[in-house]
Amino acid sequence: MILGILNVTPDSFSDGGEHGDAASAVEFAQHLVETGADIIDIGGESTRPGAERLPVDEEQRRVMPVLRELVARGIAVSIDTMNASTAAHAADLGVSIINDVSGGTADPDMPRVAAETDLMFITMHSRGASATMNERAVYRNTIAEVRTELELRIAHLLVQGVRSERIIVDPGIGFAKNADQDWELLGGLRELRVLGHPVLVGASRKRFLAALLPAGSKPRERDAATAVISALAADAGAWGVRVHDVAATKAALDVWSAMNGAKR
Ligand code: PMM
């Protein structure tokens, strides 16, 4: 699955401020769908390292008009939020997926909303809040620790009534991880499949890719590398990728599936 990223934030690291009004955000989402996105992942709160939390009413003011219009157009939408009330409101408007970068830990009501709405729920691995997560990127065995911490998140969701088949896991590339740890997790994606849940990968334009490019390059110049990661993630059995440049990832995934067809 390709989740196309639609950030309606003034400060996201790679595309902040591009979709300042609802109409341009909707048009951009439509473009992502036309170029191959299966789902639009809409978020109103930046989670870049160091970001402070946004008041929930401001988050909802940003995302709800866009979300309402996308659903009206028959587009599948996921809501990228750490707030249970935003998730509940989005569920009322018809979203298909709740995507919580805190894995259901930032808001104590989130697991209950996930259970009651019975939507797909993406539980992403991170440690602490965006403001402090970089300090917590200390692991003895990155893959094993991320896997264990995801297991705890899953257990917490199950206890609160979320159905197992609704849970998608995400290693949280760039969240409480340094570049080496991000690469380790991507290299070890297969080992996350033992969790028994679909795996989502969000590597698009992230900081760890900068070292592959000339100094001073812009985040959008990381799109080719992102597309390669999409194909390799598919090869490692990932369920989905969350990307900015949908067309490049679609091409990479088409190549991967053509080669796989040829192998059979
Ligand atoms: N990354 C960001 C935001 N939301 N959600 C999931 N499930 N996985 C991610 O890796 C993820 C996310 C931050 O990136 P952005 O600022 O480009 O949206």
Side-chain angles (χ1 to χ4, degrees), residues 26 64-75:
V26 168
M64 292 308 166
V66 181
L67 203 157
R68 192 177 284 115
E69 177 60 23
L70 296 182
V71 172
R73 292 184 182 202
I75 295 172

Side-chain angles (χ1 to χ4, degrees), residues 7 12-13 47 80 99 101 124 170 175 200 202 206 242 244:
N7 284 323
S12 262
F13 74 95
T47 50
D80 187 346
N99 173 24
V101 299
M124 197 197 78
D170 182 330
F175 284 81
L200 175 69
K206 283 188 178 164
R242 178 185 178 278
H244 299 87

Side-chain angles (χ1 to χ4, degrees), residues 34-35 37 122 126 133 138 148 162 175 194 208 226 233 254:
E34 279 155 20
T35 49
I122 300 169
S126 187
M133 64 185 175
V138 183
T148 305
V162 179
F175 284 81
V194 299
F208 75 113
T226 300
D254 286 349

Side-chain angles (χ1 to χ4, degrees), residues 3 5-7 9 11-16 41 43 45-49 78 80-81 98-102 122-125 133 168-175 200-206 242-244:
L3 276 73
I5 300 172
L6 181 65
N7 284 323
T9 57
D11 60 344
S12 262
F13 74 95
S14 75
D15 59 351
D41 185 46
E45 177 176 4
S46 170
T47 50
R48 74 187 150 70
S78 87
D80 187 346
T81 185
I98 301 168
N99 173 24
D100 183 349
V101 299
S102 82
I122 300 169
T123 181
M124 197 197 78
H125 178 273
M133 64 185 175
I168 296 165
V169 294
D170 182 330
I173 300 299
F175 284 81
L200 175 69
V201 176
S204 189
R205 293 185 185 172
K206 283 188 178 164
R242 178 185 178 278
V243 297
H244 299 87

